[in-house]
Amino acid sequence: MKKIFLSAAMLTVAFAFGQKKEIAAAVKAIDAGDVATTNAQLAQAESAMGNKTYLLEPAVLEQYYYAKGLSLLKAGKTAQGASYLAKINDLSKNKIYVGKDSSKNKVYYVGKTAADESGVQGLKEETYSPTLTNKLAGSINPVVESANKAALEAYNAKKYAEAAPKFQEVYDLLKAAGQDNKKYLYYSGLTYALADKKKEATEVYMELINSGFTGVETTYTAKNKKSNEVENLEKTTWELYKKMGATGDYSDFKTETSKSLEQELYETTAALLIDTDQSEQALSLIEKGLKKFPMSSKLSELQGTAYFKSGKTNEFVASLKAQLAKNPNDATSWYNLGVIQSKDPAAQVDAAASYKKAVEINPNFAQAWQNLTYLTMGDDAKSVDDYNTARKAGKIEEANKIIEARRVRLAATLPYAEKWYQTDPENLDAVSLLKGLYLSTKNETKQQEFKAKEAAMKAAKK
């Protein structure tokens, strides 16, 4: 008996043909409403290909997404189904990169990112136009309405964690039907942020930024002569009626263009990245954002924060100084500069000047008054230890100098501590410090007053 040897190419053809046959059968079954058969056929195809959807030619891949998405929708798994159906639209929006991998398999990568990540060389660009989109409307429309209603109800009830994925569903379903309305994706990201789901919000916002979404929309309105109501019209319809002039059914033609959301996207996403300890990623995004929006004080501020959190102190200081050059009345930046300067023993005078500038701009800046208080006081425990050491060693003159310097320093500290207390009267540390300062400056009345305040505050905490 002769042995039959199949080449790798022959095996690939047989493999691809089997999947094509099973996926075609799944499409036929889902169109007939037979979900069980659809799932059985898809299971066979998925068992063979695993996650290697790039082995499917675009027409077969579209059929796979179509059958898979509808089967999930009919099973009540709306979010998952919408996600698969939305991929059909990606086939038309992206180039298809075609070639052969190292095993001589023909491959089809959707989009340049997937093609680059594959590492396959010599890929050729092709385009594909989906053919099943028109068949989806009947199945999708009722689900879109239901998902949108659920999203709005959850949002209005401030149930943001429920609303966010519903807005994502609406986006995916509309995208599957050929309407890539990213405003719903924006609503999803915004609502995730309101729900404090920072990871999900960041992912959505990054997708929007990478897609070039700006949120700019033009609304076309005109007044219906019969009902006397102002109506929103499609651009082509609006232009047609406008050309008709007095003979048409509409008057008072107006357009309104919404403002761009792009700067907000960059600022919010950078803040989210910093909040989730992704400072390096934030810096990369901020750099891109500042090229587009160089006057954004928010991005400049976030850049400084990202530098600080990533340990890039020199860059942080440079960022603060650049920000202050643009806006010298930014109390927070003066405060932050003071914090960095105070860590350098040689820059204590500069730190005090920065804190003073911050409270000059914002007299109610309690944290700045607090830092200025402690900076002026210095290490009081050390000065007391130095005094005791000198006195015990019989160095009376040196001890007297230490204690006199301490007296002068504490006297200079007192007015800053009083300002700190005025701006934050419930702060126990401020009260306790003032009690000690009044004792040191021999103000018995005030010392007793703050001793009583301290006792009352400590008792209230028990």
Side-chain angles (χ1 to χ4, degrees):
M1 179 183 290
K2 291 184 178 180
K3 291 183 179 180
I4 299 175
F5 295 93
L6 293 177
S7 68
M10 288 284 288
L11 287 170
T12 300
V13 169
F15 172 74
F17 179 77
Q19 290 174 309
K20 186 173 182 179
K21 183 178 178 182
E22 290 154 356
I23 290 171
V27 170
K28 186 176 179 180
I30 200 65
D31 283 343
D34 186 351
V35 178
T37 300
T38 302
N39 289 335
Q41 293 292 335
L42 289 173
Q44 289 185 52
E46 289 169 340
S47 177
M49 71 181 179
N51 294 322
K52 299 177 181 179
T53 54
Y54 56 82
L55 294 174
L56 302 180
E57 59 186 276
V60 179
L61 184 57
E62 181 190 4
Q63 290 177 336
Y64 171 68
Y65 289 149
Y66 174 87
K68 183 74 173 181
L70 285 181
S71 68
L72 288 166
L73 280 189
K74 292 181 184 296
K77 299 177 180 179
T78 311
Q80 292 170 266
S83 178
Y84 273 98
L85 293 174
K87 295 176 185 290
I88 295 175
N89 187 269
D90 291 334
L91 294 173
S92 64
K93 294 289 184 182
N94 293 280
K95 295 285 187 183
I96 309 297
Y97 291 83
V98 184
K100 289 187 177 182
D101 63 16
S102 58
S103 299
K104 304 302 179 182
N105 295 310
K106 194 158 187 184
V107 291
Y108 308 85
Y109 293 103
V110 181
K112 193 170 189 310
T113 300
D116 290 343
E117 289 176 351
S118 73
V120 178
Q121 302 298 313
L123 296 172
K124 294 181 179 179
E125 287 186 11
E126 293 184 2
T127 57
Y128 178 75
S129 298
T131 61
L132 300 173
T133 304
N134 293 336
K135 296 174 64 175
L136 289 171
S139 300
I140 286 178
N141 286 343
V143 187
V144 169
E145 291 176 11
S146 175
N148 191 45
K149 183 173 181 289
L152 290 172
E153 287 178 351
Y155 180 84
N156 290 331
K158 296 185 178 180
K159 296 178 179 179
Y160 301 126
E162 294 179 24
K166 282 295 177 184
F167 279 125
Q168 175 94 44
E169 278 181 35
V170 174
Y171 168 70
D172 285 339
L173 289 165
L174 289 173
K175 185 179 176 185
Q179 299 179 44
D180 195 353
N181 190 339
K182 286 189 170 60
K183 202 67 176 281
Y184 285 98
L185 192 58
Y186 169 75
Y187 294 151
S188 175
L190 176 64
T191 316
Y192 271 129
L194 290 171
D196 203 32
K197 289 186 172 291
K198 294 175 182 177
K199 178 178 178 291
E200 293 85 348
T202 303
E203 289 173 355
V204 171
Y205 279 138
M206 284 302 296
E207 182 178 346
L208 289 167
I209 289 171
N210 292 334
S211 73
F213 172 76
T214 65
V216 176
E217 292 181 345
T218 302
T219 305
Y220 299 86
T221 62
K223 183 184 288 185
N224 188 313
K225 291 179 181 178
K226 293 179 181 178
S227 65
N228 209 34
E229 296 285 332
V230 175
E231 299 177 5
N232 287 334
L233 301 173
E234 291 291 330
K235 181 182 178 182
T236 52
T237 304
W238 183 86
E239 290 174 340
L240 177 62
Y241 279 117
K242 188 176 182 181
K243 286 179 182 178
M244 294 173 69
T247 62
D249 295 331
Y250 289 86
S251 62
D252 296 339
F253 294 89
K254 294 179 181 177
T255 62
E256 184 177 344
T257 302
S258 62
K259 70 173 185 177
S260 173
L261 299 169
E262 193 173 15
Q263 182 172 332
E264 175 198 320
L265 284 175
Y266 274 93
E267 292 171 350
T268 304
T269 308
L272 288 167
L273 287 168
I274 291 169
D275 285 348
T276 51
D277 296 321
Q278 299 179 76
S279 296
E280 291 295 340
Q281 294 91 324
L283 286 170
S284 177
L285 180 68
I286 290 167
E287 185 179 348
K288 293 177 184 176
L290 285 172
K291 287 179 181 178
K292 285 176 170 282
F293 311 104
M295 299 307 293
S296 170
S297 59
K298 182 66 175 176
L299 282 176
S300 295
E301 179 185 335
L302 289 168
Q303 185 180 49
T305 303
Y307 278 139
F308 179 71
K309 292 191 75 171
S310 60
K312 297 180 177 179
T313 305
N314 292 336
E315 292 88 339
F316 179 45
V317 172
S319 172
L320 288 173
K321 289 181 176 179
Q323 190 171 338
L324 287 168
K326 290 190 287 187
N327 180 15
N329 292 320
D330 184 350
T332 301
S333 289
W334 281 113
Y335 167 78
N336 287 334
L337 184 59
V339 170
I340 294 299
Q341 291 168 330
S342 67
K343 297 180 186 299
D344 181 358
Q348 302 301 288
V349 174
D350 292 335
S354 294
Y355 287 139
K356 288 175 183 177
K357 190 67 179 177
V359 295
E360 177 187 324
I361 297 165
N362 179 10
N364 294 317
F365 203 150
Q367 192 67 44
W369 283 119
Q370 177 181 352
N371 286 17
L372 184 56
T373 297
Y374 285 124
L375 181 70
T376 306
M377 184 170 67
D379 190 344
D380 192 52
K382 182 178 183 302
S383 66
V384 171
D385 288 343
D386 289 346
Y387 167 75
N388 289 329
T389 300
R391 187 173 58 82
K392 288 176 181 178
K395 299 177 181 179
I396 305 303
E397 185 177 350
E398 182 181 336
N400 287 339
K401 286 181 180 179
I402 292 172
I403 206 67
E404 176 60 20
R406 178 177 184 265
R407 185 191 67 76
V408 171
R409 195 168 57 252
L410 294 182
T413 301
L414 181 59
Y416 299 137
E418 290 175 330
K419 286 289 187 181
W420 173 22
Y421 171 72
Q422 288 172 19
T423 55
D424 191 6
E426 300 303 316
N427 192 308
L428 179 59
D429 290 338
V431 171
S432 298
L433 181 63
L434 275 170
K435 181 196 73 171
L437 288 172
Y438 286 129
L439 177 65
S440 297
T441 55
K442 297 181 170 51
N443 188 332
E444 179 68 20
T445 302
K446 281 288 187 181
Q447 192 267 336
Q448 290 299 321
E449 177 188 340
F450 276 81
K451 182 179 179 181
K453 285 181 187 290
E454 180 187 52
M457 291 173 77
K458 285 181 177 179
K461 283 191 172 185
K462 291 182 180 179

